[in-house]
Amino acid sequence: MHAGWKRALLTLLALPLSDAVGQEPGRPEFGSFAERVLVDLVVTDRKHRPILGLTAADFDLKVDGQPREIISFAAFGTAAMRALEARNAAPSAERPGLDLAAPQFVRAASVLLIDEGHLTFAESAKLGPLLTHVLRALAHRGGELLVLTTHSGVRLAGRLPEDVADLAQAAGRIRGQRWPQLGSLPMTDAEALEVDAGYGATEERLIARFKALNPGTGKMMESLVRARAVEIAAEVVTRRRTTFEALESAIEWLAERPGRHTVLMVSPGFPNDPSDPAFRELATRSLRANAPIHFVDVGEATPPFGTFETIAMAQGLPAEGRVPAIDAWVGAAGADRLATSTGGLRVGGTNVAKWFERVLDTTRTYYVVGFDPPRDRKPGFRKIEVKVRRKGARVLARKGYFDDAGPASTN
């Protein structure tokens, strides 16, 4: 395969925005002669309200710390944005060669992915009110929606608001697949991965916990701790792989549809594994489909263990055997990193419904900037940094992209 074609597959080819005026954003296409990376941006003020009416001249963009010229620019949003910024329809005085598209109506396609593999049955049973709120909010926005689960086989697509009742019924069939730990040596997913990776301090913590919960155990405790950690670590990897496969399916569905793409992953989260190549592949697919993954964190109010283990630890564990307070965050760090890397948000806390409105704002009003990557470059991760020349403005965008293309060649 020609090297130029390989490189083009890595980044999105931006359509000339003079052709896009008055049209709805379509599915990204790949080309063999021109490369362009598109970056979706949501700009808000300090109170998380969308900032309307920006032009390309308001943005500064860097890739790996080096300034890059914005070659294409488009604004998508409400009628209010269109009225506020009619000047976007004319070329920028500061950048005469840049075509600016008028703000466009936003079509939307979303996936509501329920991560059953990381949910217990009790946790999934409590999700009804949250899912009802999410579906009502999405129905008000309109567009297409796919309800997808990781284990129970639910996969139902429909149009909003017409099919909201059927979609809500599908979402109601979720069943958490993870059993709470009730054994003699409870440990978190993050702890199991750390022991499996050779972290001695974590292993010592688990040995102290094992001694406290199982008085009279002999010299085999270290071997038992390691064996149990390896077992749980394997389960963690399997659950995460299943979640990633479901996310890949969600992104493939979105890539076939026009409009703004959104993935809402309802999950208590999973630990981070920087060495997992599946993470890189998933982040790259998200880039190609312009589909940020938002992490709807339903695990923040849930302790690392079930009721049995929580009571046992509170009453009988020495300090060196207890779960660190930070472990609840570490246990969801992989899902958080996935959202951050793809330009999504982590939505959680005691008022999920309020924070979910921020997610909806990212689908209603946003900007797309395009740049051409350097021609002579090495494969690797490219860090993207976008700033707005306006006081108090905050930018939500993906942190970068993986570029496997090297310098052009004839091989």
Side-chain angles (χ1 to χ4, degrees):
M1 182 180 291
H2 193 278
W5 173 247
K6 291 180 180 178
R7 293 196 306 274
L9 285 175
L10 287 168
T11 53
L12 297 174
L13 173 64
L15 297 175
L17 292 181
S18 57
D19 296 338
V21 175
Q23 300 177 7
E24 296 171 0
R27 181 176 64 178
E29 298 181 2
F30 299 100
S32 58
F33 300 105
E35 295 178 290
R36 188 155 297 169
V37 180
L38 300 182
V39 184
D40 291 14
L41 309 168
V42 177
V43 185
T44 64
D45 60 19
R46 290 191 178 95
K47 295 184 178 180
H48 309 296
R49 296 173 299 194
I51 295 178
L52 309 178
L54 299 175
T55 69
D58 294 310
F59 292 91
D60 289 316
L61 185 147
K62 292 182 179 180
V63 178
D64 289 340
Q66 298 299 315
R68 299 299 301 173
E69 181 182 5
I70 296 176
I71 301 298
S72 60
F73 177 88
F76 297 93
T78 62
M81 176 185 262
R82 186 180 293 113
L84 279 172
E85 234 7 81
R87 64 190 174 98
N88 269 0
S92 167
E94 293 186 22
R95 299 175 184 177
L98 179 67
D99 289 328
L100 299 181
Q104 301 173 62
F105 172 76
V106 176
R107 287 185 63 181
S110 306
V111 175
L112 178 61
L113 173 65
I114 304 169
D115 185 14
E116 296 166 305
H118 290 98
L119 286 165
T120 66
F121 180 84
E123 289 170 339
S124 64
K126 298 177 182 179
L127 288 181
L130 171 63
L131 295 179
T132 298
H133 174 84
V134 169
L135 287 168
R136 285 177 178 173
L138 291 173
H140 179 73
R141 186 193 64 171
E144 294 183 81
L145 175 66
L146 172 66
V147 175
L148 185 64
T149 61
T150 56
H151 284 75
S152 58
V154 173
R155 183 184 179 94
L156 181 64
R159 297 196 64 83
L160 297 171
E162 299 93 328
D163 300 325
V164 67
D166 292 338
L167 293 167
Q169 186 178 20
R173 298 204 299 269
I174 61 170
R175 297 292 183 270
Q177 301 294 313
R178 182 175 181 178
W179 290 93
Q181 291 193 45
L182 297 175
S184 60
L185 179 55
M187 68 180 71
T188 67
D189 289 353
E191 288 176 325
L193 289 173
E194 288 171 0
V195 172
D196 190 40
Y199 285 77
T202 305
E203 184 174 342
E204 291 176 4
R205 180 201 311 157
L206 290 173
I207 291 173
R209 186 181 305 163
F210 193 19
K211 289 180 178 178
L213 295 176
N214 304 274
T217 52
K219 298 181 179 180
M220 295 294 293
M221 66 183 70
E222 293 184 11
S223 298
L224 291 172
V225 166
R226 293 193 192 100
R228 179 59 176 155
V230 170
E231 179 184 6
I232 294 178
E235 295 174 359
V236 172
V237 172
T238 299
R239 285 196 301 268
R240 187 175 60 225
R241 183 183 301 117
T242 301
T243 300
F244 282 7
E245 289 173 353
L247 286 168
E248 290 172 358
S249 177
I251 291 172
E252 289 176 4
W253 183 84
L254 289 170
E256 297 175 352
R257 282 153 179 81
R260 181 64 162 160
H261 296 158
T262 306
V263 179
L264 301 169
M265 179 178 64
V266 179
S267 172
F270 43 83
N272 185 34
D273 182 2
S275 65
D276 187 357
F279 181 96
R280 169 175 174 161
E281 175 64 23
L282 185 59
T284 300
R285 292 190 181 191
S286 169
L287 167 66
R288 293 173 180 171
N290 274 338
I293 299 171
H294 300 281
F295 170 32
V296 184
D297 185 358
V298 294
E300 288 189 341
T302 305
F305 305 119
T307 304
F308 174 84
E309 292 85 357
T310 304
I311 293 173
M313 289 185 186
Q315 293 179 350
L317 280 185
E320 61 269 22
R322 295 174 188 167
V323 178
I326 197 175
D327 202 72
W329 178 86
V330 172
D336 185 60
R337 177 182 171 226
L338 186 61
T340 303
S341 299
T342 61
L345 290 167
R346 177 179 182 170
V347 181
T350 57
N351 194 346
V352 175
K354 176 183 176 181
W355 285 101
F356 181 68
E357 293 301 319
R358 287 188 61 193
V359 173
L360 289 184
D361 285 340
T362 70
T363 69
R364 295 179 181 129
T365 304
Y366 64 102
Y367 304 90
V368 178
V369 298
F371 67 91
D372 292 336
R375 300 303 302 174
D376 186 10
R377 62 192 193 275
K378 296 180 180 180
F381 182 78
R382 302 284 171 258
K383 182 180 179 181
I384 297 175
E385 182 182 6
V386 183
K387 293 185 178 180
V388 180
R389 300 174 185 176
R390 183 173 295 196
K391 186 177 181 180
R394 300 179 179 182
V395 178
L396 173 66
R398 64 180 69 252
K399 301 301 182 183
Y401 66 100
F402 291 100
D403 184 356
D404 291 330
S409 70
T410 57
N411 297 331

